[in-house]
Amino acid sequence: MEDTDMAAPDTNTGIDIVYRADCPSRPILDQIADKWSMMVMAVLDRPRRFNEIKRRLEGVTQRVLTQTLRRLERNGMIERRVLPTSPVGVEYSLTDLGESLREPFGHLYAWTVAHADEIQECQQRYDQRIQAAQS
């Protein structure tokens, strides 16, 4: 099986590899495709310091931002650079690997914005149906 053919059946089990619990894509998708990771990567159009990132992402807590940055650094999406300043500063920037996600994330973000009203209408109709069924 080729690495790029994730939906090909495993010859031993006949199960599509992409659906297997041990598929290596699962934890990676979980770690890089969450809301805050995507927003952090969007904000890193240039190197930025922690507080600058935090100010740009309304609603993110210091704890969540720290966890997100560490996870993205661990996965090779961003790099952390200690600046020789007084006091010592830290700057975050996208790696080449992280930069390669800007285009697909940009498409997903654009799709989300373009369909936000339609999705919210669907959510409202669903919630009304559920409420009516529970009454």
Side-chain angles (χ1 to χ4, degrees):
M1 175 175 61
E2 303 241 346
D3 289 338
T4 56
D5 194 4
M6 293 299 291
D10 181 314
T11 54
N12 297 325
T13 65
I15 298 173
D16 289 347
I17 188 80
V18 74
Y19 301 116
R20 288 181 40 179
D22 63 347
C23 178
S25 68
R26 285 187 179 195
I28 295 169
L29 284 170
D30 185 47
Q31 293 169 10
I32 65 170
D34 70 274
K35 167 181 72 176
W36 292 118
S37 292
M38 291 181 74
M39 290 183 176
V40 164
M41 291 178 67
V43 165
L44 290 176
D45 54 342
R46 64 175 178 79
R48 296 183 189 273
R49 290 184 176 211
F50 182 92
N51 284 330
E52 187 179 3
I53 297 169
K54 189 171 183 317
R55 281 192 300 273
R56 304 260 333 251
L57 299 176
E58 187 175 313
V60 69
T61 64
Q62 183 162 337
R63 179 178 162 269
V64 168
L65 181 55
T66 298
Q67 290 172 340
T68 300
L69 290 167
R70 286 180 182 161
R71 190 172 53 246
L72 289 170
E73 182 182 10
R74 181 173 181 260
N75 286 309
M77 301 296 131
I78 65 170
E79 83 179 344
R80 179 182 183 270
R81 186 169 70 102
V82 177
L83 302 172
T85 58
S86 180
V88 174
V90 176
E91 183 178 78
Y92 297 90
S93 60
L94 291 177
T95 62
D96 289 342
L97 185 60
E99 188 66 42
S100 73
L101 274 174
R102 287 182 67 77
E103 184 178 351
F105 276 3
H107 289 300
L108 179 58
Y109 179 76
W111 181 91
T112 303
V113 170
H115 295 281
D117 291 341
E118 182 180 352
I119 291 167
Q120 289 174 339
E121 289 170 12
C122 290
Q123 291 169 342
Q124 289 170 355
R125 285 194 304 271
Y126 175 88
D127 292 345
Q128 289 169 354
R129 279 196 323 270
I130 295 301
Q131 274 185 335
Q134 292 174 347
S135 297

